Amino acid sequence: VQLQASGGGLVLAGGSLRLSCVASGSIFSINGMGWYRQAPGKQRELVAHITTGGRTNYVDSVKGRFTISRDNAKNTVYLQMNDLKPEDTAVYYCNADVMSRGSGYNNYWGQGTLVTVSS
């Protein structure tokens, strides 16, 4: 199983970006999916999470600005980021709990995509 993240880039403060993460490989089912970020010198933190049924939760600092969604048919999770701030600058990683055929759930990470917000 592989998670491939894309959509990062350089944007001015107040701008928007949309991150995507596609899971591929031997996939039977995907449970929770999420986005984490790690800024230079800081620990990785959970930004947003979405369950199979669409229940979401967000870190307080992005509430009202970021929206997580998923397309179960495409094994894809998205993160729409609006009104970006310089403090959102980080490497963003997708994460998912994936069940492969013949095994239980395992946790996987994408490779990370860099988001840089300039003031």
Side-chain angles (χ1 to χ4, degrees):
V1 175
Q2 290 186 329
L3 301 183
Q4 181 68 45
S6 62
L10 173 64
V11 65
L12 292 174
S16 298
L17 284 174
R18 189 193 195 205
L19 306 183
S20 300
C21 176
V22 181
S24 61
S26 179
I27 298 171
F28 180 75
S29 175
I30 302 178
N31 200 356
M33 305 183 82
W35 289 95
Y36 289 71
R37 66 186 178 187
Q38 187 166 18
K42 295 187 177 181
Q43 290 187 332
R44 191 174 297 189
E45 67 170 350
L46 174 65
V47 176
H49 182 269
I50 185 167
T51 67
T52 304
R55 184 175 300 174
T56 60
N57 67 279
Y58 301 89
V59 66
D60 286 346
S61 60
V62 309
K63 286 180 179 178
R65 300 188 297 122
F66 290 10
T67 301
I68 189 171
S69 61
R70 63 189 287 172
D71 185 332
N72 292 328
K74 296 181 179 179
N75 294 331
T76 301
V77 62
Y78 305 97
L79 186 67
Q80 177 66 43
M81 305 184 294
N82 298 328
D83 190 23
L84 282 160
K85 303 177 180 182
E87 52 264 42
D88 294 318
T89 295
V91 178
Y92 284 71
Y93 299 89
C94 57
N95 179 274
D97 292 321
V98 181
M99 177 185 286
S100 298
R101 289 174 174 78
S103 70
Y105 281 101
N106 289 293
N107 188 258
Y108 295 89
W109 290 93
Q111 85 284 9
T113 184
L114 177 62
V115 172
T116 304
V117 184
S118 64
S119 57

